[in-house]
């Protein structure tokens, strides 16, 4: 059965040394709401965000609770920015669940408000 988790997260992104024209960043998140805990990850990016033309990929591990179930899992992200649109794919990595979250699958929808608040809707299944 498909379920939904809602809430917000705060994110801190710290740049690392770029390599071969590819930007590298460390990600730290604090998740609140139905998904509560911490996330840590790495992001690689290329392009020119100042011209609204860029892309990134990221992997993030999460530790905490989801709907009262404790454990961990990983997210995989793919983002593309164009002057006329943005695309974001944000998935739970298959096979990455641990603890009570073993067997987790899902997709996250993200909204970033004008004030910078990150709101999520995680549609998920848990075997």
């Amino acid at each position: 059965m498909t379920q939904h988790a809602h809430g917000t997260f705060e994110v801190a992104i710290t740049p690392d040394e770029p390599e071969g024209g590819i930007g590298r960043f460390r990600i730290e998140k604090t998740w609140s709401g139905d998904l509560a805990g911490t996330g840590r990850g790495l992001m690689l990016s290329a392009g020119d965000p100042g011209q609204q033309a860029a892309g990134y990929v990221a992997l993030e591990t999460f530790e905490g609770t989801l709907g009262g179930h404790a454990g961990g899992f990983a997210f995989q992200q793919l983002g593309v920015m164009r002057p006329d649109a943005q695309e974001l794919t944000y998935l739970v990595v298959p096979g990455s669940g641990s603890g009570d979250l073993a067997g987790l699958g899902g997709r996250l929808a993200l909204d970033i408000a004008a004030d910078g608040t990150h709101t999520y809707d995680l549609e998920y299944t848990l075997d």
Side-chain angles (χ1 to χ4, degrees), residues 38-109:
T38 58
R40 288 181 173 62
L42 297 172
M43 176 173 60
L44 301 174
S45 69
D48 186 353
Q51 296 296 313
Q52 296 184 0
Y56 82 94
V57 294
L59 286 172
E60 172 190 349
T61 57
F62 169 85
E63 288 291 329
T65 60
L66 171 59
H69 300 280
F73 63 92
F75 280 119
Q76 179 177 348
Q77 302 171 44
L78 169 66
V80 177
M81 175 192 303
R82 294 183 183 88
D84 60 338
Q86 294 185 26
E87 298 172 33
L88 177 63
T89 303
Y90 210 126
L91 304 171
V92 172
V93 175
S96 68
S98 64
D100 294 341
L101 300 177
L104 180 70
R107 173 180 294 267
L108 187 136

